[in-house]
Amino acid sequence: EAQVTQNPRYLITVTGKKLTVTCSQNMNHEYMSWYRQDPGLGLRQIYYSMNVEVTDKGDVPEGYKVSRKEKRNFPLILESPSPNQTSLYFCASSLAHSTSYEQYFGPGTRLTVT
Amino acid sequence: DAKTTQPPSMDCAEGRAANLPCNHSTISGNEYVYWYRQIHSQGPQYIIHGLKNNETNEMASLIITEDRKSSTLILPHATLRDTAVYYCIVRVGGGTSYGKLTFGQGTILTVHP
């Protein structure tokens, strides 16, 4: 089954404790992206990757890091989480050269930073 | 990418057609209209997209006006499972920013029995 998976689905952590949210897709997609969703602000893009070893900032990259060492994986790293990073996070992927640019989204990771 | 305007909420009776409007008066010639929906904090789900012709798939139909300044998503026979937030997104079909989706506030569609 074609899918984007994220782990963990729920996470409660404390300020300053480094964490990684994993994202994996099994569709051989070149493009992957991270979004965060906050009430009243909608979904905002954090980082994206056009292919392996190619990443770039989205609209709200501060406080986040990403890496793309393998095509299927695109982890989101919070090196020193703060309470304002409490949010619902989504990973997405798509083909890079498709006219439809349909993006597949993961189920989401709900992060709480205390 | 062009900005879109959608009504904040709409209601629809189960079994009836749901017609969700979207205004995108600043759309450029190379920008596509996409529709996604999000059911209760799940990951957004792609529905349909189009450039200037009307489109239909197994989920919905997309009607784009001739001047392309507005469009309507039609769910022909709405069910309770179609209750969701529906997002209309306009973006370029290629280029370096092709992957970025700019989500607005969307329309909360409530399908009632």
Side-chain angles (χ1 to χ4, degrees), chain B residues 21-44:
Chain B
C22 179
N23 286 319
H24 31 78
S25 59
T26 61
I27 192 170
S28 301
N30 62 347
E31 289 182 312
Y32 287 71
V33 180
Y34 287 75
W35 284 84
Y36 282 75
R37 73 181 182 183
Q38 186 176 24
I39 299 172
H40 189 56
S41 297
Q42 297 177 20

Side-chain angles (χ1 to χ4, degrees), chain A residues 28-31 93-104, chain B residues 32 34 36 46 49 91-95 98-99:
Chain A
N28 202 35
H29 285 167
E30 294 88 357
Y31 182 89
S93 74
S94 71
L95 290 171
H97 302 292
S98 165
T99 55
S100 74
Y101 297 110
E102 173 183 352
Q103 289 199 16
Y104 294 80
Chain B
Y32 287 71
Y34 287 75
Y36 282 75
Y46 166 84
H49 79 286
R91 68 177 174 92
V92 177
Y98 68 80

Side-chain angles (χ1 to χ4, degrees), chain B:
Chain B
D1 294 337
K3 180 180 170 61
T4 62
T5 304
Q6 299 177 250
S9 63
M10 294 183 66
D11 288 335
C12 178
E14 189 176 21
R16 305 295 294 269
N19 297 283
L20 291 87
C22 179
N23 286 319
H24 31 78
S25 59
T26 61
I27 192 170
S28 301
N30 62 347
E31 289 182 312
Y32 287 71
V33 180
Y34 287 75
W35 284 84
Y36 282 75
R37 73 181 182 183
Q38 186 176 24
I39 299 172
H40 189 56
S41 297
Q42 297 177 20
Q45 177 190 21
Y46 166 84
I47 302 173
I48 199 168
H49 79 286
L51 183 62
K52 52 185 176 181
N53 297 321
N54 297 338
E55 302 288 345
T56 296
N57 63 20
E58 64 278 4
M59 288 183 68
S61 294
L62 175 61
I63 308 298
I64 302 174
T65 58
E66 192 169 343
D67 62 7
R68 303 209 322 122
K69 293 185 177 182
S70 66
S71 61
T72 301
L73 177 73
I74 301 172
L75 307 178
H77 304 288
T79 71
L80 299 178
R81 288 192 300 264
D82 292 322
T83 293
V85 180
Y86 287 77
Y87 297 98
C88 171
I89 299 165
V90 173
R91 68 177 174 92
V92 177
T96 57
S97 63
Y98 68 80
K100 179 180 173 182
L101 296 174
T102 301
F103 288 83
Q105 296 304 306
T107 296
I108 301 171
L109 174 69
T110 302
V111 181
H112 51 84

Side-chain angles (χ1 to χ4, degrees), chain A residues 4 7 14 19 25 34 36 41 44 46-47 50 57 72-73 75-76 81 85-86 92 95 98 100:
Chain A
V4 178
N7 283 292
V14 296
L19 67 91
Q25 50 90 7
W34 277 101
R36 62 177 287 175
L41 296 177
R44 295 177 291 169
I46 304 171
Y47 268 95
M50 307 273 278
K57 298 177 181 179
R72 64 183 293 124
N73 296 322
L76 180 69
Q85 292 178 298
T86 292
L95 290 171
S98 165
S100 74

Side-chain angles (χ1 to χ4, degrees), chain A residues 73-94:
Chain A
N73 296 322
F74 190 45
L76 180 69
I77 303 157
L78 286 73
E79 298 221 328
S80 183
S82 62
N84 64 13
Q85 292 178 298
T86 292
S87 187
L88 179 58
Y89 291 86
F90 292 103
C91 180
S93 74
S94 71

